[in-house]
Each structure stands twice: as structure tokens, then as C-alpha cells.
Amino acid sequence: MTHEIAVIPGDGIGQEVTPAAVEVLEALELDLAFVEAEAGDAVKEETGEALPQETYDLAAEADATLFGAVGETAADVILPLREAVDSFVNVRPAKAYPGVDALRPETDLVFLRENTEGVYAGHEDRLTDDVSTLTRVVTKLASRELAEFACEYVDGDDHDGFTIAHKANVMRETDGLFLETVESVADERGVETDDVLMDAFATRVCLDPTQFDVVVCPNLAGDVLSDLAAGLVGGLGLLPSANVGHERGLFEPVHGSAPDIAGEGIANPAATIVSAAMLLEYLGYDEEADAVHAAVETTLEEGPRTPDLGGDASTEDVTEAIVDRL
């Protein structure tokens, strides 16, 4: 069976790291068909639309989507694309790799982030020139769906339960419902949980990241706290992510379009290539995904490395090294 993969490089270094990830996938000689589409700042400037309808439709119909990065139009592109694949959870590993100068080399976390609501639901209003409002949306359905995924995730990967990061002491109705629902599902499934206020988590994870393993968060908290964890492992250039839906998924590096280095050929492709490995896992190619993970880890440890990791290698050099190690 051929799996169709939508490829959306986007802007800036997305145009460099996404082809690198495709090159790695092609080296595995699997039954994958790649279809490229456009989105982002450059497309908006040319057509007036940051996310053309044909790109949205392609993501909605493909088996999986590999996405690079976009610039100023990020909210106009990535949020609808997550909707296109019916994504309800964002999976963000934050892991320190041997050979990488990490602030906390013992860090090995996974964030499971609610992906459809919270303050990212898009309900903003400007009431007057001086007053604007934002409505935060939390539903039992979305919270339960995330909790069920989290229970299956920790069960399948031999984790000892998970931590719920929240702010229910202040946002009593919204985070209160989130916390109550996630704990209820975990209790039904016999999965151990603990909980921590998200601001306390921000301090504690910096002091000792080994206190935590799998962390379940509302939308905004998951976004912010996973970026915080990126600082512990060597930067955003090392963080992959998966937007998981029931029938398809969208896989992207956490970093942005990095216009300051775009076009120089020195962008670190590691996060995008690990995102591609997560895509393989999603499609059931577990052995091949493990091989990609191993090749990336060996390359990060032994080199070559791009300038963000203290080396002088190009994107192409690193990609070739990973392919050779496969």
C-alpha cells in the first residue's frame, strides 16, 4: 500500500530542512509518494492567501503531512493545517543528545499538548480602542480525548504514568475542568498521575528535569513549557513534533523559519528529520523510524554538526551523514 505524504516546506529554512527530511525518507526505499504544496509568507505575497485551498485539501486527504516552517503567517497556516488533519494532540519530545552542549544533559521529556482549544481557539475581540478580550475554551470532550491518548501513550512506552501541568488554582472553571477530566480518565484506565501548577513546573524542570517524564498540558501551557524545555537540551533546532489525528497526522519541527540564516545552507535539519521519524512511527514503520532516530543521534554525537551546535557543516553535509549511517 502506497502512503501519500504531503510536503509543505513553507518559508525560510523550511525550504532547506524539509527537502533534507524527504531525502532521508527516500533513502529508506519505502512505498511513500511525496506531493509538494505551498503555504506561508511568500505564497500570501504572490496570491493573497497564506494557505491556498489546494494545500489545505491535500493535507486533509494525504496519509500524513511533513511541514517545514512559516514566518509572519504562522497562525494563518499551521492552525488550519492542524484542523485539516483533525489533530487533537501535539506530541513534543524534548531530549538531550550525547555530544550536544545541553544546559541539562539529563533531560528526557515528552509533552502531550491539547491541540484544538484553550486561548488558541481564536475567539478574540477588540471592544474599543483601549479594550480587547480573549475567550478561553476548554471542553470535556477535547480534554478526555487528550487524556485517553496520554493513557495509551504511557501504557505502550513503559512510562510510570504522567504529570498534568495546569493553572486550576486561578483558572478554576477552565483548567479546573481540564484537570478533573484528565484525572478521571486516568483513574478509569488505572494510570498513575500527579499534577503541578504550570508556573511551578517552569521552575522545577529547570532545577531538575528528571522529576518529570510525560507531561500533559492545555494548549498554551504545552506550547510555552515545551519551548522552555528546548532551552535545556540545546535549542529549538532539536525539537520535533507530531500533530496527531484519528486518521492522519502533521509532523513539523518546533523551530520557526529563521530568516536570519535562510538561504545560507547552514540550518540544522535534525528536528525536521526526527519529525519525519515520528511520521514513520505513525504510519507503522517502526523499525525504519528507529533506524532514523539512531542515525540522527549518532550524527549529533559524532558529527558533522551545523553552526548552531558549534560545528561548521552545512545542512547538506549533515543530511548526507545521516543517510550514510542509515
Side-chain angles (χ1 to χ4, degrees), residues 21-276:
V22 170
E23 184 178 338
V24 171
L25 291 175
E26 288 179 331
L28 296 167
E29 298 183 352
L30 300 172
D31 200 2
L32 305 176
F34 300 95
V35 183
E36 189 165 322
E38 297 180 325
D41 297 359
V43 178
K44 183 175 182 180
E45 188 174 334
E46 183 181 336
T47 68
E49 289 184 299
L51 182 65
Q53 186 64 45
E54 54 267 31
T55 301
Y56 180 96
D57 291 343
L58 175 63
E61 295 167 5
D63 295 297
T65 297
L66 184 63
F67 177 73
V70 292
E72 296 297 322
T73 57
D76 302 318
V77 175
I78 191 59
L79 296 182
L81 282 176
R82 288 172 179 166
E83 175 190 275
V85 302
D86 189 30
S87 168
F88 60 90
V89 59
N90 183 247
V91 182
R92 288 189 175 189
K95 175 182 177 180
Y97 293 99
V100 174
D101 186 16
L103 184 64
R104 290 293 186 186
E106 66 273 29
T107 305
D108 189 358
L109 305 169
V110 178
F111 293 87
L112 303 181
R113 165 192 172 197
E114 199 287 316
N115 215 26
T116 64
E117 47 187 39
V119 296
Y120 288 0
H123 302 300
E124 287 191 276
D125 287 296
R126 176 65 65 90
L127 301 184
T128 71
D129 288 343
D130 301 319
V131 179
S132 58
T133 64
L134 171 63
T135 300
R136 187 170 193 260
V137 178
V138 173
T139 67
K140 182 174 285 191
L141 177 63
S143 301
R144 185 174 186 87
E145 205 162 34
L146 171 64
E148 289 172 346
F149 180 93
C151 290
E152 291 173 12
Y153 186 92
V154 298
D155 220 23
D157 275 4
D158 288 332
H159 297 276
D160 295 326
F162 57 81
T163 298
I164 309 164
H166 63 92
K167 195 65 178 168
N169 62 326
V170 174
M171 296 181 285
R172 294 173 182 172
E173 295 302 325
T174 49
D175 263 23
L177 177 61
F178 177 82
L179 177 60
E180 171 191 315
T181 304
V182 175
E183 287 182 327
S184 173
V185 172
D187 187 55
E188 291 171 13
R189 298 291 192 93
V191 173
E192 291 186 13
T193 66
D194 62 347
D195 72 281
V196 60
L197 296 176
M198 63 181 70
D199 45 352
F201 175 90
T203 299
R204 289 173 56 188
V205 75
C206 294
L207 295 173
D208 179 12
T210 63
Q211 298 176 75
F212 305 105
D213 180 15
V214 176
V215 186
V216 175
C217 308
N219 204 333
L220 176 62
D223 195 3
V224 174
L225 295 177
S226 61
D227 279 14
L228 171 67
L232 304 180
V233 303
L236 287 173
L238 295 171
L239 260 63
S241 75
N243 301 281
V244 176
H246 297 289
E247 296 182 6
R248 44 191 51 85
L250 170 71
F251 302 83
E252 56 171 326
V254 173
H255 64 67
S257 60
D260 56 323
I261 61 167
E264 296 182 19
I266 58 171
N268 185 351
T272 313
I273 293 172
V274 177
S275 298

